[in-house]
């Protein structure tokens, strides 16, 4: 029997890593971060316990990468959803979809996103991984399509605004209404309320679908780092 080629081995490693990421978000959604063990993740993924250490330095890094993957897949699905934004105003629609996708994560996956935000506010901050880079590419794409002439400046600002909104939605004891936060962000960027997926439409789509089921649906996606999204530039970003 001939040995496997390098490309076959690489694909097997990619699939193994993605099973671990998928198992992590499923288990944390079901049990919470603290109650989810690395052994349980390996069992859910059908992998050896030692394989986690091969890919990730520890549980926190594994979890952050898994949530960044969920965020990337969610954002990619939103930006590619038919009808794909084209023509005049497509840049505004692209940015509206990006904002709604990130806010929707706070609404649909509160356990995951609360644990994620708590983790990145700790000393280690963001984990620099492939999933985080794919997410960054898509957010920069949204800013560029919107019409930014300086995405290096405008992308970090958008990221900061979105992180602040997610924290406000999830703040224990004093959460801000998602609709109000969405309105503030849309007003900041000059977006019409009807663009993207307004809250009532988003709630209708998610009705009766559990958080874990949403994770599994998105987990069937294929990473698309660097994939170009159709559409033209919109109006210049407000300063």
């Amino acid at each position: 029997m001939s040995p496997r080629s390098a490309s076959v081995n690489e694909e097997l490693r990619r699939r193994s890593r993605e099973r671990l990421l998928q198992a992590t978000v499923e288990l944390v959604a079901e049990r919470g971060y603290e109650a989810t063990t690395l052994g349980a993740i390996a069992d859910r993924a059908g992998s050896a316990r030692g394989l986690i250490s091969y890919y990730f330095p520890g549980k926190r890094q594994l979890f952050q990468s898994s949530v960044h993957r969920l965020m990337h897949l969610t954002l990619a699905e939103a930006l590619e959803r038919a009808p794909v934004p084209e023509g005049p105003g497509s840049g505004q629609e692209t940015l509206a979809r990006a904002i709604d996708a990130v806010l929707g994560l706070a609404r649909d996956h509160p356990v995951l996103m609360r644990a994620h935000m708590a983790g990145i506010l700790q000393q280690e901050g963001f984990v620099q991984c492939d999933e985080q880079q794919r997410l960054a590419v898509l957010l920069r794409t949204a800013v560029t399509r919107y019409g930014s002439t300086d995405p290096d400046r405008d992308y970090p600002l958008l990221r900061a605004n979105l992180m602040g909104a997610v924290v406000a939605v999830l703040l224990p004891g004093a959460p801000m209404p998602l609709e109000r936060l969405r309105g503030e962000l849309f007003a900041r960027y000059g977006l019409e309320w009807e663009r993207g997926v307004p809250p009532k439409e988003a709630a209708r789509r998610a009705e009766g679908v559990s958080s874990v089921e949403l994770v599994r649906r998105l987990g069937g996606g294929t990473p698309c780092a660097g994939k170009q999204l159709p559409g033209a530039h919109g109006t210049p970003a407000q300063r």
Side-chain angles (χ1 to χ4, degrees), residues 53-91:
S53 300
Y54 176 78
Y55 292 116
F56 305 98
K59 179 180 173 182
R60 177 63 63 184
Q61 290 81 359
L62 167 58
F63 177 60
Q64 277 204 40
S65 293
S66 72
V67 176
H68 282 142
R69 175 175 178 264
L70 171 64
M71 296 175 72
H72 163 252
L73 292 173
T74 301
L75 186 54
E77 181 185 61
L79 298 182
E80 296 170 4
R81 185 179 62 247
V84 175
E86 293 181 331
S90 61

Side-chain angles (χ1 to χ4, degrees), residues 20 27 31 36-49 52:
L20 290 171
L27 284 169
R31 306 176 184 180
T36 298
T37 65
L38 292 178
I41 292 171
D43 289 344
R44 175 68 65 91
S47 301
R49 168 67 176 78
I52 295 179

Side-chain angles (χ1 to χ4, degrees), residues 35-215:
T36 298
T37 65
L38 292 178
I41 292 171
D43 289 344
R44 175 68 65 91
S47 301
R49 168 67 176 78
L51 196 58
I52 295 179
S53 300
Y54 176 78
Y55 292 116
F56 305 98
K59 179 180 173 182
R60 177 63 63 184
Q61 290 81 359
L62 167 58
F63 177 60
Q64 277 204 40
S65 293
S66 72
V67 176
H68 282 142
R69 175 175 178 264
L70 171 64
M71 296 175 72
H72 163 252
L73 292 173
T74 301
L75 186 54
E77 181 185 61
L79 298 182
E80 296 170 4
R81 185 179 62 247
V84 175
E86 293 181 331
S90 61
Q92 290 199 353
E93 175 64 19
T94 297
L95 186 59
R97 290 187 182 193
I99 292 172
D100 281 338
V102 175
L103 291 180
L105 285 163
R107 178 192 62 237
D108 299 333
H109 307 279
V111 174
L112 287 169
M113 295 305 293
R114 188 174 288 115
H116 177 62
M117 296 307 296
I120 63 177
L121 291 173
Q122 294 179 2
Q123 186 174 357
E124 65 264 28
F126 274 113
V127 170
Q128 298 298 319
C129 59
D130 291 344
E131 289 73 24
Q132 189 271 332
Q133 293 301 315
R134 289 169 182 148
L135 175 62
V137 166
L138 290 181
L139 285 175
R140 285 178 62 90
T141 295
V143 169
T144 302
R145 294 276 167 92
Y146 177 63
S148 170
T149 57
D150 189 359
D152 288 338
R153 182 191 68 176
D154 293 335
Y155 154 66
L157 181 59
L158 173 64
R159 183 184 62 195
N161 287 330
L162 290 173
M163 287 178 62
V166 168
V167 169
V169 170
L170 299 173
L171 190 64
M176 288 283 289
L178 184 146
E179 291 82 359
R180 181 174 178 182
L181 292 164
R182 182 184 192 265
E184 292 288 338
L185 286 170
F186 271 44
R188 178 185 295 272
Y189 289 101
L191 305 175
E192 298 172 353
W193 181 263
E194 292 75 19
R195 290 195 180 276
V197 184
K200 290 183 179 180
E201 174 64 15
R204 186 189 66 78
R205 293 184 184 188
E207 186 177 0
V209 180
S210 70
S211 177
V212 173
E213 176 60 25
L214 286 170
V215 171

